[in-house]
Amino acid sequence: MDFVDLVDFDGLVREVRASAARLGADVGALTDRQAGELSLLPGWSRGHVLTHLARSADAYRWTLALARTGGAPGPRADAAELDRRLREGAGRGADALATDLRDSLDGLLRDAAELPVERRAVLVPALAGWRHPAWYLLWRAWRELEVHHVDLNSGRTPADWPEDFVRRALTETTAALAARGLPLARVEAVDLGQDWPVGGSGPVLRGPVLRGPVLRGPGHALLAWFAGRGPAAGLLRLDEIPVAEPAALPALPAWPLPPEPGWG
C-alpha cells in the first residue's frame, strides 16, 4: 500500500477526532424515538450502530494497551461477547448512547496519544486473526466512524466522506482485491484524478493495454459500492461502453478486507 511506510500517526489521530466530532454532533441531536428507529443496516437500529461503534472503540483500546505494554490488559472480548454487549446496549435512550460513544472515543484518542513512538509499529492481532501494526488501529477507527456515520441514516452520505479518507480506502481496497484476483482491469476515480490497476481478466488485450472491465466514477461512489453502501449503476464499463446488466458486475468479497500486502 502506498501509505504504509509514510504513516502520519498524529494526522490519523486528528482525522479520528474530527470524524468523531462530526458523528457526535449528529448523535447529540437524536431523540429517544429516533435512536430506536432503523438504520441503513438490515435489522439494526441507530442504537445498534452507536453501541457497535462504542464497543469497537473499546476493543481498539484493549489492543493499544497490548501494544503499549506487551501484555494483554485482561480478557479479550470475543465475537459472542461483543454480540451480547451489542444486544444489551442497543435499546438505551439517546443520551445514554451518546455518552457511551463519547466516553469510548475520548478514551481511544487519549490512549492513542499516549502510545510511545517506538511502540506504534508493534504488531498486534485483529480479532479475525490477522496482524497489523498498532498505528493501523487509528485507520480502522477512522474507517468505522466514516462508514457507520452513513449507516446511521442521519443525513450523511458517501458524498460527504473526506477526500483523504476516500483515497486511502480505495488504495487499500484495490490492492486487496487485486491480490484476490477480482476480474477488473482498473478502478478510476475521476474526481480525484487517480486510478488503480487491479489486473482483471478482460475480454480483449490490445497491444500493451489490457482492455477489460473498468470501474470509473466519483471516488466516493466507487468506495460506496466496494463497501456495500451504494449502487454500481453507471460505474462499470467494458471497452469504454457502459454496462448496465448486474450480471456483468464481479462479485465482491466482504468489505473491509485485510490489507495486501499485510504484515505477516
Side-chain angles (χ1 to χ4, degrees):
M1 291 173 293
D2 294 343
F3 56 86
V4 167
D5 296 322
L6 299 171
V7 177
D8 179 2
F9 186 86
D10 293 337
L12 281 172
V13 171
R14 287 193 296 271
E15 295 291 2
V16 173
R17 181 175 290 111
S19 187
R22 290 190 293 268
L23 176 62
D26 278 356
V27 173
L30 293 177
T31 65
D32 289 345
R33 177 183 59 80
Q34 290 170 330
E37 290 175 344
L38 288 178
S39 72
L40 296 180
L41 293 177
W44 274 26
S45 67
R46 292 190 177 101
H48 283 89
V49 174
L50 298 176
T51 302
H52 168 74
L53 283 169
R55 299 293 75 77
S56 292
D58 292 344
Y60 296 153
R61 294 187 68 187
W62 185 96
T63 312
L64 282 173
L66 175 66
R68 185 174 61 252
T69 66
R76 185 181 198 178
D78 60 14
E81 174 63 15
L82 291 173
D83 182 66
R84 181 187 67 80
R85 295 177 186 177
L86 175 66
R87 288 183 280 105
E88 290 179 352
R92 293 171 295 170
D95 286 347
L97 289 165
T99 298
D100 182 25
L101 179 61
R102 182 179 61 250
D103 290 349
S104 291
L105 290 173
D106 284 350
L108 172 63
L109 289 164
R110 184 170 57 250
D111 290 352
E114 294 174 355
L115 184 67
V117 173
E118 65 272 15
R119 305 297 294 177
R120 294 175 182 175
V122 170
L123 292 181
V124 293
L127 192 59
W130 52 283
R131 298 194 302 164
H132 60 72
W135 66 259
Y136 190 78
L137 288 162
L138 275 297
W139 164 240
R140 292 177 63 191
W142 185 17
R143 184 175 60 199
E144 284 229 36
L145 287 167
E146 292 295 340
V147 173
H148 286 317
H149 196 167
V150 170
D151 294 334
L152 197 63
N153 195 21
S154 61
R156 191 168 178 83
T157 72
D160 298 313
W161 283 335
E163 182 178 302
D164 285 349
F165 168 75
V166 173
R167 285 184 187 275
R168 182 184 289 262
L170 284 174
T171 298
E172 178 174 272
T173 298
T174 52
L177 293 175
R180 289 160 175 78
L182 191 78
L184 284 173
R186 195 169 64 257
V187 173
E188 300 177 357
V190 294
D191 56 328
L192 304 181
Q194 189 168 354
D195 63 85
W196 299 264
V198 178
S201 54
V204 183
L205 183 64
R206 298 176 182 167
V209 180
L210 178 65
R211 310 292 277 183
V214 174
L215 275 178
R216 178 183 300 138
H220 70 268
L222 296 168
L223 181 59
W225 181 59
F226 285 134
R229 269 76 178 179
L235 296 179
L236 188 66
R237 290 174 175 266
L238 187 61
D239 283 343
E240 307 305 317
I241 301 173
V243 177
E245 297 80 3
L249 295 169
L252 293 176
W255 188 92
L257 294 159
E260 293 284 350
W263 294 275

